[in-house]
Structures are given as structure tokens and as C-alpha cells.
Amino acid sequence: PLPTVRVVDLRHETSYPLSTPLLAELGRLAEGGGKAILLLNRRGVAPALHCRACGATRRCPNCDVAFTLHGDGTLRCHHCGAREPAGETCPACGSPELARIGAGTQRLERELEKHVPELERIRLDADAVANPEQLRDALERFARAERAVLVGTQMVAKGHHFPGVELAAVVDADTGLGLPDFRAEERTFQLLTQLAGRSGRDAPGRVLVQTFQPESRAVEHAARHDVAGFLAGELERRRALGYPPFRHLVRVLVSGPELADATRALEELKAGLPDFVLLGPAPLLRLRGRHRAQLVGKTDRPRALASRAAALLAAAAPAMRRAGLTAVVDVDPQSV
Ligand SMILES: [Zn+2]
Ligand SMILES: [Zn+2]
């Protein structure tokens, strides 16, 4: 039988990242012995803005992806470039309690040390486990331990066996939902089902999901183990918005030392492609010191769009080189 899933509504909780129900479960393990896995649903670091009162994440009205919060206090859509001021209150409910979501593994470790010091803490993320030996060590320590908690990012849920685990908890289901990516819901659903869908000796006794958005499709369907229902709804959403598999995405990403140059190059490119639907240019978060901007096309003819774009970029290559710009054209990129 699949484990029961308890959804903890963080809007009614006073403590984060360890809610009262999660602390109670951990306290039981600290007293009686047993093991837990705590999963942080973190992929990338794009910060999203989130209402603590009603649970709404600010999303782009054009693209249905989460806005990304930029350092200047604006919310920007990484698909189409739309921007809105972050503001002081939630537009959905008027509450002033806005929060950036996401807690790192280190903060979670500190909280565990403070509240349940009896449990051995084993961290499993890219920082703590840099090579296969360290990974094997961490997994062996966890397998041998009598009372321990494994804290990790999505690599915890993937591919490893964790027999004898009493409790598996997703600390922040919403950080996945807050990513500026149209596949964010699918990824969150996969993570939740990877924990809740384990069976046999690998099945955790209980699964607990902490979320500001208990009514989100990913959380709701995962809690009911309803894979078919989730996929049907997800396909409908993608059809309505023109996302794959119904239409293809072509992304042109330009990076360089100056954002204005990257944006101008993409505007010129867009002007040369009048018969395609193109969103943007939209600025992205800087990566390794380089400014980035992208243009996204939704099309039935991805090859035609990609080759036209490549030809125009080749013609513009000398000017782009002078400005230190590089361009990449992607058809149906894995994340947008
Ligand atoms: Zn609100
Ligand atoms: Zn948008």
C-alpha cells in the first residue's frame, strides 16, 4: 500500500521551515528512534514572491509562470519580459505579509540542531556531497543510524533506496512551483510522487508535505496518488497556453557584458522574424557575471524558426563579436 500523505498548510503555521506537525513527528523519532528524510524542493535559485496570508505566488498573466524577483524590487517574467513592481501588499488578498520563498539546507540543519539535537543530521546536497565516495559514505551512515534525519535537495528523492524510513517530508513544495518554468508543476509533482510513491521496503511510514499552496494541482494530485488526473490537467493547461507537446518552443539566448547590447541584438533579431510569434526580449538573472536576455518563440515550425534565427545571427556576428555577445538557439529547451 502507498503511504498516506499529510499536507501541512503553512499559511496557518507560525514556524518555518519546521512546522508544528513536522516538529512533532521529528520529536517522536528523537524519543523512540527512527529515521526521516527531509527534502528541499530546490532547483536553481530564482527567488519568487509569495504571500504568507493567502499563499498566492505572483505569476505572469501572459505565461502562467512565476515572476522572478530581481534585486531592484521588480518582478519580471523570464518568458515574455513583462514586469510589475513587487509592491508592498498582495494583489490577491491585500496582505502586507509578502515573503521570498525557499530555505537552504544549511538553515534547515541549524533548525534541526536546535529543536531535535538527538537526531543525527546527514546532509545530502551538491555542496556536502562532492564526489561518489562522499555520497556513499553519507548513504551508509544513514543506513546504519538508529535515529537520524537526512536533509537534501532533489537528489535525495532520485534513484536511491532508503529502507526503514519512518517519515519523508517535503519542506517547501512551493519553491518548485515558484520557478519561472512552465514545467515547474510537473517537476514538483514528480518529486512528491518520488517520495510518496515508494512502496514495499522502500516505502516511508508517513509522508508530510509542507506548502503555502495546498490547493495547487501538483500537491493535491500527489497527495491522492492521482498520476492520471495530474497529467490530464497538465496537458490541458499546456494546450491552452501553446506549450509543448502541442507547440514547440524556440529560445534564443544572448549573453554579454552589457544588458543593453544583448537586448538590442534580440530586438533586431525579432524585427527580422515578423512572421513568427516571439515573446521578449526578456532579461534573465545574470550568470557568471554576464548579462543575459532571451527571446522565446512558440511555433508549429521550430526548425524553420531556428534556422532563420541562426542565419540572421550569423549575419550579425561581426557586430555581436565587437560587443562581446554570444548567442545560443535552442529548440524545446528542457527549461525556459
Ligand atoms: Zn495574499
Ligand atoms: Zn510572461
Side-chain angles (χ1 to χ4, degrees):
L2 293 166
T4 54
V5 179
R6 172 166 181 196
V7 176
V8 175
D9 186 344
L10 288 175
R11 291 171 298 186
H12 307 311
E13 290 294 323
T14 48
S15 59
Y16 175 86
L18 298 177
S19 67
T20 308
L22 179 53
L23 269 175
E25 294 271 9
L26 291 169
R28 213 166 296 148
L29 298 182
E31 263 173 38
K35 287 185 265 194
I37 296 175
L38 298 192
L39 178 68
L40 283 155
N41 183 6
R42 192 183 55 169
R43 185 181 176 283
V45 289
L49 198 66
H50 195 82
C51 174
R52 283 191 182 284
C54 76
T57 300
R58 297 281 294 275
R59 302 174 86 80
C60 173
N62 306 326
C63 309
D64 194 32
V65 298
F67 273 127
T68 296
L69 183 62
H70 281 241
D72 61 1
T74 58
L75 294 167
R76 297 189 205 170
C77 174
H78 285 187
H79 259 60
C80 71
R83 60 166 73 194
E84 288 181 8
E88 303 285 312
T89 55
C90 169
C93 76
S95 164
E97 286 186 75
L98 301 180
R100 289 169 62 140
I101 50 174
T105 41
Q106 284 164 348
R107 167 156 176 220
L108 190 54
E109 248 194 317
R110 281 199 306 272
E111 296 280 322
L112 288 167
E113 187 176 9
K114 189 167 126 199
H115 294 286
V116 278
E118 303 87 348
L119 296 176
E120 183 182 355
R121 295 169 302 280
I122 298 168
R123 227 173 96 196
L124 203 63
D125 62 16
D127 298 330
V129 192
N131 57 51
E133 288 77 47
Q134 288 176 331
L135 174 63
R136 207 188 45 227
D137 281 357
L139 293 175
E140 279 177 8
R141 262 172 67 209
F142 187 61
R144 278 197 311 268
E146 271 177 23
R147 47 193 82 190
V149 52
L150 190 73
V151 176
T153 49
Q154 70 267 25
M155 68 190 276
V156 170
K158 269 218 176 104
H160 301 298
H161 295 284
F162 302 104
V165 168
E166 314 277 328
L167 171 73
V170 179
V171 173
D172 55 353
D174 307 304
T175 37
L177 299 174
L179 288 175
D181 182 340
F182 73 91
R183 290 190 179 86
E185 293 212 325
E186 183 188 348
R187 291 212 169 96
T188 297
F189 180 76
Q190 279 174 356
L191 280 173
L192 298 182
T193 49
Q194 272 166 3
L195 276 188
R198 289 167 183 256
S199 56
R201 68 182 197 116
D202 235 16
R206 292 179 300 285
V207 172
L208 196 144
V209 177
Q210 299 194 141
T211 176
F212 285 101
Q213 300 165 303
E215 70 291 342
S216 74
R217 292 185 320 110
V219 172
E220 216 175 58
H221 286 92
R224 293 200 309 261
H225 305 288
D226 182 5
V227 177
F230 175 79
L231 291 179
E234 181 66 12
L235 283 174
E236 200 34 64
R237 185 178 80 95
R238 291 196 188 178
R239 187 199 312 275
L241 292 164
Y243 284 129
F246 299 99
R247 296 180 81 184
H248 296 276
L249 296 183
V250 175
R251 175 178 65 183
V252 183
L253 198 153
V254 170
S255 62
E258 300 294 337
L259 180 61
D261 290 338
T263 307
R264 194 174 319 114
L266 286 172
E267 268 159 9
E268 285 167 17
L269 179 66
K270 187 178 182 178
L273 298 163
D275 43 343
F276 288 96
V277 177
L278 296 168
L279 303 173
L284 302 180
L285 293 177
R286 253 187 313 171
L287 193 65
R288 291 185 281 275
R290 284 172 71 79
H291 290 275
R292 302 183 304 153
Q294 72 176 10
L295 203 59
V296 175
K298 296 179 181 179
T299 177
D300 298 324
R301 298 178 293 140
R303 297 288 153 201
L305 174 53
S307 64
R308 286 274 302 283
L312 290 169
L313 287 168
M320 288 180 63
R321 244 194 321 270
R322 277 195 299 279
L325 299 175
T326 52
V328 179
V329 181
D330 262 329
V331 175
D332 290 333
Q334 273 308 297
S335 70
V336 171

